[in-house]
Amino acid sequence: MVPERETPPRERAASGATAASRTRARLDQPRAPRRRLLPEWDPESFGRLSERVARFLGTGRFIVWMTFVIILWVVWNVSAPSGLRFDEYPFIFLTLMLSLQASYAAPLILLAQNRQDDRDRVNLEQDRKQNERSIADTEYLTREIAALRIGLGEVATRDWIRSELQDVLKDLEERQNGHHPDRGVFPADRSRGRDVHDR
């Protein structure tokens, strides 16, 4: 059997010293925020801004204003004096501005659509859960109604009680008239009477 190799005490002390000198993270305190080179923004507020912009871009007011600005731009650069024109006839600067507007509008619209899709997904999930609860409630009520129907089958109805009382009244009248039939007072006591379960 080969004896285990022991680490020299000098190496143990050195490794222990580095472990002790290391700073440990405290779990009972939050970490200090790291410094970032890029600016931070709130995604929720940025999403709300993109929805507002997308909502404005989808209105007739935006189309009217954009048409008005383009017509004013073209008229100014065609009819103004040469020194005051800032975009000559091919209107390259106007094309650049429209391309820039389109390049910003498309991602903002997509971001707004993604947020709307997320909201729709949450609404559909809530509707699905509500439908499941409604189905469970309907099944419970159906079982309760079936139990009530079964229970009502064992309850005396008004017509059954009326017929029983008429039979008892008839028997009493016969007894008063002197007839003593060989049957009991109540219809259930008679041999030829109505069935007990006939209701």
Side-chain angles (χ1 to χ4, degrees), residues 4-196:
E4 292 184 18
R5 184 179 161 223
E6 292 186 18
T7 53
R10 189 172 47 122
E11 288 180 13
R12 258 189 266 138
S15 65
T18 51
S21 65
R22 245 187 305 180
T23 57
R24 295 184 181 215
R26 296 211 36 183
L27 299 177
D28 61 339
Q29 294 177 353
R31 276 188 181 172
R34 294 180 182 176
R35 293 186 180 181
R36 296 185 181 177
L37 298 176
L38 298 174
E40 294 184 24
W41 63 86
D42 181 19
E44 191 64 28
S45 61
F46 188 74
R48 284 195 298 268
L49 174 68
S50 69
E51 284 180 341
R52 261 187 261 133
V53 170
R55 215 172 278 125
F56 175 68
L57 291 177
T59 60
R61 186 188 312 165
F62 170 74
I63 294 173
V64 168
W65 277 107
M66 192 172 75
T67 305
F68 177 73
V69 167
I70 289 173
I71 289 173
L72 187 65
W73 187 297
V74 170
V75 168
W76 178 265
N77 286 305
V78 167
S79 62
S82 300
L84 297 176
R85 294 179 191 167
F86 54 89
D87 193 15
E88 291 296 327
Y89 166 65
F91 306 119
I92 296 173
F93 188 49
L94 175 64
T95 307
L96 178 66
M97 293 300 291
L98 291 176
S99 300
L100 185 66
Q101 180 262 332
S103 67
Y104 273 100
L108 287 174
I109 291 171
L110 287 175
L111 180 60
Q113 284 178 347
N114 288 341
R115 284 174 56 87
Q116 185 62 41
D117 288 343
D118 292 341
R119 276 196 299 270
D120 290 344
R121 194 175 304 114
V122 169
N123 288 337
L124 285 174
E125 183 66 23
Q126 289 175 349
D127 290 345
R128 187 184 64 78
K129 288 181 180 176
Q130 181 65 34
N131 287 340
E132 287 178 357
R133 283 194 297 268
S134 298
I135 289 170
D137 291 344
T138 305
E139 289 175 353
Y140 172 74
L141 289 174
T142 304
R143 287 192 300 271
E144 288 296 314
I145 290 171
L148 284 173
R149 283 184 178 169
I150 291 170
L152 280 176
E154 299 170 1
V155 174
T157 62
R158 184 177 58 188
D159 294 335
W160 181 80
I161 292 174
R162 186 177 293 150
S163 67
E164 291 294 315
L165 287 175
Q166 286 174 354
D167 289 344
V168 170
L169 189 61
K170 199 181 294 181
D171 282 347
L172 287 175
E173 287 174 356
E174 288 177 0
R175 284 177 186 258
Q176 281 181 350
N177 292 339
H179 301 296
H180 296 288
D182 56 350
R183 50 189 178 175
V185 176
F186 294 103
D189 298 337
R190 304 181 210 144
S191 57
R192 297 179 325 210
R194 294 163 47 107
D195 189 10
V196 176

